[in-house]
Amino acid sequence: MNLIQQNQRSLERREETGCGLGPQEMENQLPEVPLFKVFSFLDAGSLLQVGQYWNKVAEDERLWRNLCLKRWDFCNFSCQQLGTQTWKQYFLDQTKCEHRMALAQREDFHYKEATGNLGILEHMAYLSGSGHPVTGQEKSVICTVSSKRMLYAWDVQEGTVIWSSPVQPYSLKLLATLPQVHLAFTVDLKGTVKVWTCQDEDALATFTVSKACFSLEAFLTKDGPFLMVGNSEGDIYTLTVPELRTVSKVNAFKYCVELLHCSPDKKWIFACGIHQHILPKIFWVESLLRPSEDESPLSVALPFPWCCGAGWAPRRANRITVMYRRGSFRKTGFTTFDLTIERPGGRAVIQAHQITHFLLPVGMESPIWMGVSDRNVIVFASGPSLFLFTISGSQLQRCDNHQMSICYLWVDRLHVLTTSMDNSMHMYMWEEEGRCPCLKSCCHLEQVRSDFLPSCFLSRAICDNKSIVCVVSRSRESSILEREACSSAFHGLCCPECTVEPTWTSS
């Protein structure tokens, strides 16, 4: 048989088996289930490409919803809430919003003054906007607590207060929100927990903890929303939402619970207190939501006292990185664990497998704020600089965009925001193309002032796909609330006591 005859026979075999068919014919030949499984591993760009040939499977709503859930925490809502929009359209619209944020220019910003004696604006969190921006028309709304013992809700785009609570008996010390159900939670100086709709005058429910509270975490599970509160005696309360009924109460430590941090998949809760005799613990959330009278909640202690921060890997929900202090000079270290549940002898046990750890170089200022990204990267602030390290201790990047020390760091899956004592703010976005992830510098906003005095309180910043919000406190009686919105508007709010007109620049 000559070469031509061999090629002809090979072609005939491919036609018989379907291996020589074009993409359109292959779509009819290959079963949908294996194709769906393969396509579930693709990113959005690859899914759009294969959609030219395998359109029926590549357009499957489940694939695009999974992509949304991987990229944005707030996408855990129903198809009914999505309306007539498809998950693919939603994904593409949200991506466009992010692109506009990354390309913000100087002319996209302006400044406004608020009216009224608002006091010092302290904790803040998004009530909506980051929760259900389904059609792109919803307004971003944030909540702030004030030194005036009030809770405010703000329309970010308009720069106005749209709701305020009655004056509370005691100072409000903690704030959390659940944008998915449009609820806010506060805890006051005496341990009174309240849940608010930010529409009605009175709170929906009230719960009183016996001792002062230091930590608050709200999260949404497949069984509904829940709230966790940590107090000064080391107790962790798990409460239903919105009723604030006690589901469980567990004594985690002998000292106060200063940090509660739920994993992205809502299966683990990290708890710690900043103390030399406290080992941080990780609880299996299911055991707190369904407590047993015969057994203690499932938990594991991590052998690193003086814990001062922690972050969950966004897309690897069982991986956590912990920041701790060590030695008489309080050197800072980072350690990373993978968590599993094993059942030796049929009894469930949490295992924490240490992946790696390292100490920061001698002479580096100990960081206060940290965050974690995918691909095994830690971001933290040290002095005026922002650093990117691998979890094994290799420095990837150093960003020097502030003249004074960074006083606040905010990290999510897409953005990193920093503020400094000179009231400047810088926004970065994660770039994961290439071998190593890095931070792309997007914009720097500086307030040009006549007195050049630093703020006497820490300025804080948060953002979503459509806005950036920064609070700057000038004195013991006033704050500025500054905003940037994707609709080519930068909104700033300040109290009447703040008379300095700021000038903003964008880099």
Side-chain angles (χ1 to χ4, degrees), residues 46-83:
S46 301
L47 198 56
L48 288 170
Q49 288 181 343
V50 300
Q52 300 176 41
Y53 307 109
W54 286 282
N55 184 66
K56 183 178 179 182
V57 179
E59 293 287 328
D60 193 296
E61 284 288 84
R62 294 170 296 173
L63 291 172
W64 289 98
R65 183 175 188 272
N66 288 337
L67 285 174
C68 290
L69 288 170
K70 287 179 181 178
R71 191 164 181 84
W72 303 293
D73 290 334
F74 55 77
C75 288
N76 190 19
F77 49 82
S78 66
C79 293
Q80 288 78 13
Q81 290 170 294
L82 195 64

Side-chain angles (χ1 to χ4, degrees), residues 179-290:
Q180 297 92 333
V181 291
H182 202 84
L183 293 176
F185 310 88
T186 58
V187 181
D188 69 18
L189 188 63
K190 294 296 183 178
T192 303
V193 183
K194 292 186 178 182
V195 55
W196 306 87
T197 64
C198 295
Q199 295 175 351
D200 302 323
E201 181 179 2
D202 297 324
L204 273 181
T206 300
F207 179 84
T208 301
V209 179
S210 58
K211 298 294 181 178
C213 299
F214 286 83
S215 52
L216 186 67
E217 179 78 340
F219 55 96
L220 183 64
T221 73
K222 57 182 176 57
D223 297 319
F226 293 91
L227 186 69
M228 287 189 180
V229 185
N231 71 3
S232 61
E233 291 191 337
D235 297 323
I236 300 175
Y237 291 81
T238 302
L239 309 173
T240 62
V241 172
E243 304 87 358
L244 296 185
R245 291 197 303 265
T246 303
V247 177
S248 64
K249 174 188 174 184
V250 57
N251 184 254
F253 312 112
K254 293 182 180 179
Y255 305 93
C256 65
V257 182
E258 297 185 71
L259 178 61
L260 289 171
H261 192 14
C262 196
S263 64
D265 62 359
K266 318 307 177 190
K267 293 182 178 179
W268 311 92
I269 188 79
F270 175 85
C272 78
I274 306 175
H275 195 281
Q276 61 179 335
H277 298 305
I278 289 183
L279 298 181
K281 289 184 179 181
I282 297 175
F283 289 86
W284 178 243
V285 170
E286 186 75 13
S287 65
L288 296 173
L289 300 183
R290 292 178 174 84

Side-chain angles (χ1 to χ4, degrees), residues 306-451:
W306 284 115
C307 170
C308 50
W312 295 95
R315 298 187 186 116
R316 191 164 181 171
N318 68 325
R319 174 166 290 184
I320 189 169
T321 298
V322 175
M323 182 170 68
Y324 63 92
R325 312 279 191 230
R326 172 172 289 180
S328 57
F329 294 100
R330 294 287 180 265
K331 292 184 65 177
T332 299
F334 294 89
T335 181
T336 301
F337 292 88
D338 279 350
L339 305 170
T340 59
I341 291 185
E342 301 177 4
R343 301 182 183 276
R347 186 174 182 272
V349 177
I350 299 177
Q351 298 289 346
H353 307 279
Q354 188 178 26
I355 304 302
T356 183
H357 76 280
F358 69 94
L359 293 174
L360 291 181
V362 176
M364 179 176 283
E365 185 177 332
S366 292
I368 299 176
W369 309 98
M370 66 158 288
V372 176
S373 177
D374 289 318
R375 298 178 64 182
N376 302 322
V377 172
I378 305 167
V379 57
F380 61 88
S382 177
S385 302
L386 188 69
F387 290 91
L388 244 63
F389 272 66
T390 66
I391 59 173
S392 58
S394 299
Q395 182 176 324
L396 299 176
Q397 189 176 359
R398 173 174 175 168
C399 305
D400 295 303
N401 292 297
H402 290 287
Q403 298 299 316
M404 300 182 68
S405 292
I406 295 173
C407 61
Y408 189 79
L409 171 68
W410 191 85
V411 181
D412 68 7
R413 292 185 180 187
L414 305 173
H415 315 91
V416 174
L417 300 178
T418 56
T419 65
S420 70
M421 296 301 292
D422 60 3
N423 296 336
S424 66
M425 178 188 69
H426 202 91
M427 184 181 78
Y428 308 84
M429 294 190 75
W430 291 105
E431 282 195 336
E432 297 186 354
E433 298 179 0
R435 296 182 58 187
C436 295
C438 64
L439 288 174
K440 175 187 176 183
S441 176
C442 293
C443 63
H444 187 82
L445 299 176
E446 289 186 347
Q447 197 171 351
V448 181
R449 299 169 51 189
S450 58
D451 52 15

Side-chain angles (χ1 to χ4, degrees), residues 454-465:
S455 169
C456 57
F457 290 88
L458 300 184
S459 55
R460 295 168 299 280
I462 59 176
C463 74
D464 65 2
N465 282 358

Side-chain angles (χ1 to χ4, degrees), residues 95-220:
T95 304
K96 289 178 182 177
C97 285
E98 293 172 9
H99 187 64
R100 287 198 296 269
M101 284 280 285
L103 298 178
Q105 299 296 314
R106 178 175 180 174
E107 57 268 21
D108 297 327
F109 305 93
H110 69 266
Y111 176 82
K112 297 171 70 174
E113 287 192 1
T115 58
N117 187 4
L118 303 174
I120 295 295
L121 301 178
E122 298 168 343
H123 303 288
M124 60 178 174
Y126 279 95
L127 181 67
S128 63
S130 62
H132 294 230
V134 177
T135 67
Q137 303 301 316
E138 291 82 354
K139 293 183 177 181
S140 294
V141 177
I142 66 162
C143 286
T144 62
V145 296
S146 167
S147 60
K148 301 296 183 181
R149 310 197 308 273
M150 297 175 67
L151 174 68
Y152 294 110
W154 301 80
D155 182 319
V156 175
Q157 273 69 30
E158 297 297 327
T160 56
V161 176
I162 58 176
W163 176 88
S164 61
S165 72
V167 176
Q168 300 299 293
Y170 303 100
S171 298
L172 301 177
K173 294 301 181 184
L174 299 174
L175 170 68
T177 60
L178 269 179
Q180 297 92 333
V181 291
H182 202 84
L183 293 176
F185 310 88
T186 58
V187 181
D188 69 18
L189 188 63
K190 294 296 183 178
T192 303
V193 183
K194 292 186 178 182
V195 55
W196 306 87
T197 64
C198 295
Q199 295 175 351
D200 302 323
E201 181 179 2
D202 297 324
L204 273 181
T206 300
F207 179 84
T208 301
V209 179
S210 58
K211 298 294 181 178
C213 299
F214 286 83
S215 52
L216 186 67
E217 179 78 340
F219 55 96
L220 183 64

